[in-house]
Amino acid sequence: MTIASAFAAGVRIRTLVFLFCFNALLYMSFSVLQDDLRALASYHLYSSSSANVTSNVTGSGTIASNIVQTDDSITLAPDLSPEPQISRKANATLVFLARNSDLQGVLKSMESVETHFNQRFGYPWIFLNEDEFTNEFKESVQLKTNASVQFGVIPSRHWYQPDWIDEGKAEQARNALKAAGVIYADSVSYRNMCRFNSGFFFHHPLLQQYRYYWRIEPDVDYFCQLQYDPFDYLEDNNKTYGFTIALEELGQTVTTLWQAVKEFMEQYPEYIHPNNALAFLSDNGGETFNLCHFWSNFEIADMDFWRGEAYTKFFEFLDSKGGFYYERWGDAPIHSIAAALFLDKTQLHFFNDIGYQHSNIMHCPQQPAFLTGSCTCNRVLSIDYRRYSCLPRYNKMLNGKW
Ligand code: GDP
Ligand code: MN
């Protein structure tokens, strides 16, 4: 072999190697794309028309905003404009109950909500407190958003322990819970807060003009860019109550709650929806409470439900038992039990695509919902299928599958 032919053979081999690698790369990219498309094709969050997905924020340049889904197929629509545009705005507000001392945690949560959602949607914020907010609180909060902000004081009768509560009995109960090592066992203010969130926040004058709310608490984190309006989603799909995390309650805080609920069900059977979600709350047809509830530090829901006849009667009935003070009934089980019993179970909604963390518990979307936004959470750490999560029970109740 001459030097020239050896060189030519070398070039041919290098060309062949290059072509082989190029094809392998092409094939791998195609497989990844196929996987993503398969995942998108099984993405069934939006059960109604494609208009819901694209009407609110258009052309944001991300995969989620370009999803167009018909009943059985999914395609990617062209990205028409670089900036998100809001084409409608729900009758909704972001509600934040806080103390002046919560300021740093409040600002942290606001930052997270604004960057992941509200900068693009501009929903108004409402802050509530049983005391006046300080100027420092108001000024700092106002600086965190371009949306409107209002500050409200809670009427005393909606907050403080009522006179008809036997304080001696309540104190004994607090001490007993404390001895049992239960969190917030001896806190009266925590009980005021739980009762207020259960029965009164939606009656506050500042909230009267609104139907939907998103509840925010101090020190929470959001992880995914939300590409659609969750309020519009509820309205368009006839949903009433949305959650991200479902958990078991501490049994000692609700010892007699289910007994009271059973009494209510007997007395007012007309309020129990025939297609209810009782199976989420009870594993034995309603005899006992399995402690499952939606974690109410995150809620996106319809206040007209809380303002309606069934819930009004329910709250008054439970309040009259004194369990907010004689035990430590939380607003989470109260809201959840009502939503599960009085609504059609299809009116509940798991906001799977909202990555969210409160204290050390986190929900991070799994495939395929992970593809709907740029989420920064670690999917492996999501609470969904871990101990104490009630999501499997929720799924079973809804679809018959854990
Ligand atoms: P946890 O989430 O159950 O641990 O309870 P938090 O301490 O986060 O309280 C729940 C919500 O109620 C948060 O938004 C708090 O800022 C608020 N909150 C709790 N206690 C009080 C209180 O005494 N006064 C006011 N104004 N807000 C409170
Ligand atoms: Mn909290």
Side-chain angles (χ1 to χ4, degrees):
M1 192 183 277
T2 65
I3 292 177
S5 63
F7 179 73
V11 168
R12 272 199 301 277
I13 288 166
R14 273 200 298 275
T15 310
L16 281 172
V17 168
F18 171 75
L19 280 174
F20 176 78
C21 292
F22 183 73
N23 277 330
L25 259 174
L26 210 65
Y27 177 74
M28 276 161 58
S29 328
F30 184 62
S31 311
V32 169
L33 194 67
Q34 267 192 325
D35 282 345
D36 282 355
L37 288 176
R38 254 199 302 277
L40 278 172
S42 61
Y43 174 75
H44 281 304
L45 181 66
Y46 302 96
S47 52
S48 63
S49 75
S50 60
N52 297 333
V53 184
T54 51
S55 66
N56 310 324
V57 177
T58 53
S60 65
T62 67
I63 218 167
S65 63
N66 296 332
I67 293 172
V68 176
Q69 185 176 352
T70 57
D71 277 344
D72 52 8
S73 70
I74 192 160
T75 53
L76 294 182
D79 192 358
L80 296 176
S81 84
E83 287 304 313
Q85 289 159 12
I86 297 161
S87 57
R88 54 185 275 212
K89 199 159 174 180
N91 180 15
T93 180
L94 309 171
V95 181
F96 208 139
L97 174 70
R99 295 157 286 210
N100 285 304
S101 58
D102 290 323
L103 181 57
Q104 289 316 311
V106 167
L107 297 177
K108 187 187 151 198
S109 296
M110 281 186 84
E111 169 103 32
S112 193
V113 173
E114 285 288 330
T115 50
H116 291 100
F117 170 70
N118 206 44
Q119 264 172 5
R120 280 167 284 131
F121 289 85
Y123 280 103
W125 290 85
I126 294 179
F127 290 85
L128 300 177
N129 186 356
E130 79 278 18
D131 293 326
E132 283 278 356
F133 283 111
T134 60
N135 285 339
E136 186 202 1
F137 188 99
K138 292 185 195 171
E139 284 158 16
S140 313
V141 157
Q142 188 78 70
L143 286 172
K144 276 281 171 205
T145 178
N146 290 325
S148 91
V149 183
Q150 286 184 292
F151 301 92
V153 175
I154 296 164
S156 300
R157 67 183 188 287
H158 288 177
W159 186 266
Y160 294 102
Q161 179 173 310
D163 293 342
W164 52 263
I165 292 287
D166 175 344
E167 171 52 21
K169 184 175 162 186
E171 189 186 7
Q172 261 184 11
R174 293 196 298 270
N175 292 339
L177 273 192
K178 186 160 191 194
V182 170
I183 186 170
Y184 304 122
D186 57 348
S187 171
V188 176
S189 67
Y190 191 83
R191 288 170 170 81
N192 295 340
M193 179 276 288
C194 290
R195 180 168 174 265
F196 171 75
N197 275 327
S198 297
F200 300 109
F201 82 91
F202 45 87
H203 288 314
H204 191 281
L206 289 181
L207 277 87
Q208 289 320 293
Q209 71 179 99
Y210 297 106
R211 177 171 173 195
Y212 294 100
Y213 70 102
W214 184 334
R215 173 166 158 187
I216 319 284
E217 284 204 358
D219 290 306
V220 299
D221 277 311
Y222 284 87
F223 300 110
C224 310
Q225 290 296 334
L226 200 55
Q227 302 296 348
Y228 66 94
D229 184 326
F231 302 117
D232 284 346
Y233 178 80
L234 292 190
E235 188 163 20
D236 292 341
N237 294 282
N238 189 29
K239 307 274 185 194
T240 300
Y241 187 90
F243 67 95
T244 53
I245 292 171
L247 280 181
E248 287 176 28
E249 180 57 291
L250 295 170
Q252 297 117 301
T253 66
V254 288
T255 325
T256 65
L257 175 59
W258 194 251
Q259 189 49 48
V261 170
K262 285 204 288 191
E263 269 176 48
F264 183 85
M265 288 197 278
E266 267 166 38
Q267 212 167 313
Y268 299 97
E270 66 271 28
Y271 294 135
I272 311 301
H273 199 285
N275 193 35
N276 61 61
L278 177 66
F280 170 67
L281 305 171
S282 174
D283 302 333
N284 48 24
E287 199 180 315
T288 55
F289 181 31
N290 60 20
L291 303 175
C292 282
H293 65 290
F294 307 120
W295 219 24
S296 63
N297 46 70
F298 170 102
E299 283 181 327
I300 302 180
D302 181 348
M303 286 184 280
D304 285 350
F305 176 59
W306 309 132
R307 293 169 182 143
E309 189 181 302
Y311 188 76
T312 303
K313 287 260 170 54
F314 184 64
F315 172 73
E316 284 169 0
F317 185 89
L318 295 182
D319 194 33
S320 74
K321 301 281 183 191
F324 289 105
Y325 294 96
Y326 300 139
E327 295 177 21
R328 209 212 67 198
W329 293 354
D331 52 283
I334 307 284
H335 282 186
S336 306
I337 291 170
L341 294 180
F342 308 151
L343 295 172
D344 186 312
K345 61 184 169 192
T346 61
Q347 291 175 280
L348 304 171
H349 180 64
F350 172 37
F351 275 109
N352 190 4
D353 45 6
I354 299 186
Y356 172 74
Q357 177 155 1
H358 174 284
S359 55
N360 58 352
I361 297 180
M362 190 260 287
H363 163 70
C364 187
Q366 308 293 310
Q367 294 278 20
F370 198 74
L371 291 170
T372 63
S374 48
C375 299
T376 54
C377 46
N378 183 348
R379 282 178 275 170
V380 176
L381 300 180
S382 192
I383 182 80
D384 304 10
Y385 296 101
R386 290 169 169 240
R387 206 163 158 213
Y388 305 122
S389 170
C390 286
L391 189 63
R393 276 211 193 71
Y394 177 80
N395 290 336
K396 178 119 194 300
M397 175 278 297
L398 205 59
N399 316 313
K401 279 186 250 157
W402 288 84

